[in-house]
Amino acid sequence: MKTASGFRGIRSSVLGAMVALTAIAFAAPGSAWAQASATPIKLAASAIGRPPIFSNTFVDVGEAMGFFKAAGVEVTFRWFQRGADTARSVVTGDVAVGFTATQPALNLIAGGAPVVVIAGMPNQDWLVATDDPDVKSCGDLKGKTVAADGINNARTLYIAAVVATCGLKQADLKLIDLANQPLVRAGIAGQVNSGVWHVDELAQVEFKTGKKWRIIDAPASIAKGLHYAVLLTSKKAIEENREGLIRFLEGWILTQNLMGSKSPADKVAFASVAANASQIDFQVALASVDGYQGFNYWVNNDGLDEKQMMSQLEQLVMVGSVKADKKPTYQQIVDKSLYAEAMKRVTKKYGKVR
């Protein structure tokens, strides 16, 4: 059984040394990052927060370290509380690119929306966890109140896929719409006993309460058959501002490279930014970085593995979110050309990423 115990027990002496490293990292980020284009392109993007969920701290890392500036793009971020909303903001044209869970993106594409995926994070971090002593396995969730995040949103679709493996349906649970920081606060206050959590969210609750939650194991097929998150853009945005999107992806690549770095100084720099942005304890942020890196959360490629993406699509068909006769092909879902160009530029400027 998985546990979240790895998020505790960081010694203060180690933290002191790492904080010192952070000061060095921020004082001398490297002149290469500061060499921004003389004519930056403006771009609007959407993300989940504020404060951001941990994956969305790429926004703060990119800004703090000057990665977007170095790529020659001036990004204005607009914040929403749900991935479905960040995805819709792309469809309406409010933003050129949005960071969203993979499920709402696939739902939009299957519904005929003129949008495509240009990069992704393949490895999901969802945890179904409980402090209810009566819930020891998937089947015990029947009739229980479980915090998710609403119809056709990522957490709800995830819990539907998980409980289907033990013969249950969504209707067998009492789902409540609660996610992100409101969920964390409810967990700390003891108002939620079972829910679908991000790794760092559960870490915050355990850190604040000193209580260890039980992780309900999901079959390996679920983890391997899900795709976590994507960068979504519209075909119109590609046509009108392809260069801006490529530059945005340059910044994205640099943020993912830092966030996935095993260098102690890089981890402390990242954790310091994340703790400030997410309004969490530095200890939790630093331990979360280790936890996420343990399953390769931040990859150094476009993150659009075809098998994983199409398996996620099949999961949506299984739970009834996408109709079988409306399934898009992989070629209809992705446009890999922008990322390929962005990676080519990053490699030329800075060398091969980790």
Side-chain angles (χ1 to χ4, degrees):
M1 179 184 295
K2 293 182 192 174
T3 69
S5 60
F7 298 115
R8 300 196 193 99
I10 300 177
R11 297 176 60 183
S12 59
S13 60
V14 175
L15 289 175
M18 292 189 131
V19 169
L21 282 173
T22 303
I24 296 172
F26 281 121
S31 60
W33 309 129
Q35 294 172 2
S37 169
T39 55
I41 295 176
K42 294 184 178 181
L43 189 85
S46 59
I48 303 169
R50 194 94 178 151
I53 62 174
F54 215 83
S55 55
N56 280 238
T57 55
F58 79 87
V59 173
D60 299 273
V61 170
E63 291 179 341
M65 303 303 290
F67 293 151
F68 293 114
K69 183 179 179 181
V73 62
E74 183 180 323
V75 188
T76 300
F77 285 97
R78 299 176 185 174
W79 297 91
F80 298 87
Q81 282 300 309
R82 298 287 188 274
D85 295 327
T86 64
R88 281 191 289 268
S89 70
V90 174
V91 178
T92 61
D94 290 337
V95 300
V97 60
F99 183 84
T100 182
T102 305
Q103 296 99 322
L106 291 176
N107 281 335
L108 284 170
I109 295 169
V115 294
V116 291
V117 170
I118 56 175
M121 294 176 65
N123 301 319
Q124 60 82 29
D125 76 320
W126 298 122
L127 299 173
V128 178
T130 182
D131 70 348
D132 184 336
D134 295 329
V135 178
K136 296 181 174 62
S137 66
C138 171
D140 296 332
L141 289 170
K142 185 174 183 178
K144 296 293 184 178
T145 298
V146 180
D149 60 355
I151 297 173
N152 282 341
N153 280 300
R155 296 177 203 242
T156 300
L157 291 169
Y158 179 75
I159 191 67
V162 170
V163 299
T165 66
C166 62
L168 300 181
K169 299 179 180 179
Q170 277 187 226
D172 293 320
L173 313 178
K174 298 175 182 176
L175 297 180
I176 57 173
D177 186 353
L178 198 61
N180 303 330
Q181 283 304 307
L183 172 60
V184 172
R185 290 193 291 269
I188 292 172
Q191 298 167 339
V192 167
N193 299 109
S194 300
V196 183
W197 306 81
H198 284 297
V199 168
D200 61 294
E201 291 172 343
L202 186 58
Q204 292 176 58
V205 174
E206 291 196 330
F207 181 80
K208 289 293 187 181
T209 64
K211 182 188 294 185
K212 183 179 177 180
W213 286 52
R214 179 180 296 107
I215 308 299
I216 304 302
D217 286 334
S221 59
I222 292 291
K224 293 179 180 179
L226 294 179
H227 189 279
Y228 175 62
V230 296
L231 287 176
L232 188 71
T233 191
S234 67
K235 295 178 181 179
K236 181 179 179 182
I238 293 175
E239 182 180 342
E240 295 179 350
N241 195 7
R242 183 182 184 89
E243 177 62 23
L245 289 167
I246 291 172
R247 293 186 187 186
F248 178 87
L249 286 170
E250 286 186 67
W252 165 266
I253 290 168
L254 294 173
T255 66
Q256 301 301 291
N257 186 55
L258 176 72
M259 294 161 83
S261 171
K262 300 296 179 68
S263 159
D266 285 346
K267 288 200 286 188
V268 170
F270 173 22
S272 297
V273 172
N276 182 63
S278 299
Q279 300 174 19
I280 62 178
D281 294 273
F282 174 77
Q283 296 99 316
V284 174
L286 186 60
S288 294
V289 170
D290 284 330
Y292 280 119
Q293 288 185 351
F295 57 88
N296 200 26
Y297 198 52
W298 298 285
V299 296
N300 62 353
N301 54 53
D302 63 22
L304 300 178
D305 178 77
E306 181 174 357
K307 183 178 180 181
Q308 202 166 0
M309 186 74 72
M310 299 311 288
S311 180
Q312 174 65 82
L313 183 60
E314 291 296 338
Q315 287 281 345
L316 295 180
V317 172
M318 182 186 73
V319 300
S321 182
V322 171
K323 294 182 179 179
D325 62 349
K326 298 294 184 181
K327 289 191 302 182
T329 65
Y330 181 69
Q331 289 69 30
Q332 291 171 322
I333 295 169
V334 306
D335 182 339
K336 298 164 71 79
S337 65
L338 288 85
Y339 185 96
E341 175 59 26
M343 179 60 84
K344 180 180 177 181
R345 295 183 188 184
V346 168
T347 303
K348 183 177 180 179
K349 292 176 184 177
Y350 310 114
K352 186 176 181 180
V353 297
R354 58 178 171 87

